[in-house]
Structures are given as structure tokens and as C-alpha cells.
Amino acid sequence: MRALVGVWRLARLLPHIAGGLWIVARRFKRCSPTERHGHIQAWSRRLLEIFGVELQVQGEVPVSLAGHLVVANHVSWLDIAAIHAVLPQVRFVSKADVKHWPVVGLLVDGAGTLFIERTSKRDAMRVVHQTAAALKAGDAVAVFPEGTTGRGPELLPFHANLLQAAVSVEAPVLPVLLRWHEPGQRFSTAAQFVGDTTLAQSLWRVVTARGLGVVASVLPAEASAGQERRALAQALELRLREALASP
């Protein structure tokens, strides 16, 4: 039965992806930023709906926060859709190989993603400067400071490098905690994208999951002015760990 549900969801996914590609190719260039954000949010929420994911938002979603950095924990490739369903204005910093994923790469590139070669210190510095420029221009940029996906119950240590972008332009930092869950599991195993799991394997686990949900907790913004990036990373990591441990 779950296999039939999975096939049905995949069948609904194909036209949704095609619609997203059409919007990116044909409409984004003519859209205002507000219109583009509306498309991104609607597409992301519909994607979660197709996958049977229930989205719950906790905390106060800012409506008039100037250029800011969003910092979130990282569990799944669906994290981007979950955050865009709540904060459609953000541009993501993502590892460079995502750009070459079939279909997905076109969509995330169209949404203004900044790509980084994580093994290159020189490229990391380029992205820090690019992110700082975007923040100074009033954009919102999102990063996953763990650097890779974890299983959910525990955070991986935060890397501080990309936080330098916020420090250098004194942009506020907005922490967002994502907790994927399913019946009987406070932390979903179906949503995990870790180890040697391929994108195809992860996709099948998601579409065949029963009662998959995600709680997006938006925490109060943290000032970066006058902070050192490593101390800021530690403070943000602590805040997300405390939120993760909350009932």
C-alpha cells in the first residue's frame, strides 16, 4: 500500500516540477521581488503537500527585517523547501554539486542560490564576500553552518566561516530550527539524508512515509554587530541545541 502511495505522489510531483521550471524560465525575469517570493513560497508549500508533509510554524516570522542571515540545522534536502515555505525571501548558500543535480539544480539556481566549493578555502572566501554584498543590499541569505546533513536529534558542530559575512556588515542573524517527525518518532528517520543514501533512495523514503511532518521554529534574531564569528557561531549553536531539546 505504501508503495502505491509513493507512486501516486511521484506522479503528482512530475507536473509540479515542470510547472516550477516553467515559472523560473519564463516568469522570474519579469517578476518583482515580491512576486518572485510569492511563487517560491507557493511552490514550496505545494511540494510539501504533495509529499504529505505537514508544516507547523512556531515563533514570530519577521515581515520587515532588513538584510539578514538565516542560520538553520540541516537534516534533509527538503530543508530548503521547508524554509522557503516560511521564509520565501531567502537565498541559500549550497554546496556546488547541488547545481548539477538533475532538475533540482535548475530550480535552486533559479531561486538565486549561491554555490560554494566547500573544500576550497579560496572559494569559501569568495562566497563570504558575495553573501556580505547580498546582505548589505538588503537580501536575506540562508546557510547551514553544520556543513552537511545530520540525523536530527543532535546538532553537528557549527562552522563559523560563512557567519563572517553577517559580522562584516553587522547584519542580524535569524536562527531557524527544523524538526522532522513522523508517528512514533520525534525525529523522523524517513527524512534523514545521511551517509551513503542517494537522492533517489531518500526521495522514495519520503514519498512512502506515513504522517511525515516538519516543525519550523523561528527564534528571535541575534545581533552580529561587534561579535567575533566563532563566538557568534557558538552562541547560535547553543540556542538551536536548547530549542532542539525543548518538548
Side-chain angles (χ1 to χ4, degrees):
M1 181 61 70
R2 299 312 303 171
L4 290 176
V5 171
V7 171
W8 169 239
R9 287 173 174 169
L10 289 175
R12 297 168 67 201
L13 176 63
L14 293 176
H16 183 61
I17 289 177
L21 291 172
W22 185 88
I23 290 172
V24 168
R26 298 292 184 180
R27 302 189 66 176
F28 265 21
K29 291 181 180 180
R30 301 193 301 269
C31 284
S32 68
T34 300
E35 291 171 332
R36 190 180 304 119
H37 300 159
H39 284 304
I40 289 172
Q41 185 171 48
W43 191 91
S44 299
R45 289 189 171 184
R46 177 60 177 160
L47 180 68
L48 297 179
E49 180 184 325
I50 288 172
F51 286 154
V53 176
E54 179 185 1
L55 172 66
Q56 180 183 356
V57 182
Q58 296 180 344
E60 185 174 345
V61 179
V63 293
S64 59
L65 191 60
H68 58 283
L69 189 71
V70 173
V71 167
N73 61 315
H74 201 11
V75 177
S76 169
W77 50 274
L78 270 175
D79 292 343
I80 292 176
I83 292 176
H84 267 159
V86 181
L87 301 166
Q89 72 273 22
V90 303
R91 303 170 63 187
F92 279 87
V93 174
S94 178
K95 57 184 181 180
D97 57 337
V98 172
K99 187 174 184 178
H100 304 293
W101 285 5
V103 181
V104 174
L106 293 173
L107 290 171
V108 297
D109 191 24
T113 299
L114 307 173
F115 295 100
I116 180 173
E117 293 284 354
R118 293 194 181 276
T119 58
S120 170
K121 290 184 178 180
R122 178 177 297 180
D123 197 58
M125 186 57 63
R126 174 190 65 82
V127 175
V128 166
H129 290 311
Q130 195 174 2
T131 302
L135 295 173
K136 191 173 183 179
D139 289 350
V141 180
V143 300
F144 298 114
E146 292 169 287
T148 188
T149 50
R151 296 187 179 277
E154 298 283 344
L155 290 181
L156 300 174
F158 276 19
H159 299 283
N161 289 349
L162 292 178
L163 298 182
Q164 182 60 44
V167 171
S168 63
V169 297
E170 299 186 348
V173 182
L174 188 70
V176 176
L177 179 73
L178 299 174
R179 182 174 64 81
W180 293 88
H181 60 89
E182 53 188 297
Q185 296 183 17
R186 175 170 165 78
F187 297 96
S188 168
T189 54
Q192 293 174 358
F193 185 42
V194 294
D196 296 327
T197 303
T198 66
L199 181 59
Q201 289 170 335
S202 178
L203 175 61
W204 184 247
R205 289 177 187 172
V206 168
V207 297
T208 56
R210 186 192 304 272
L212 186 60
V214 60
V215 179
S217 300
V218 182
L219 307 182
E222 179 100 9
S224 68
Q227 294 217 47
E228 191 274 332
R229 69 172 188 251
R230 291 181 181 83
L232 179 60
Q234 291 174 355
L236 292 166
E237 182 180 341
L238 177 60
R239 289 186 61 189
L240 287 180
R241 285 188 186 279
E242 290 175 345
L244 193 62
S246 299

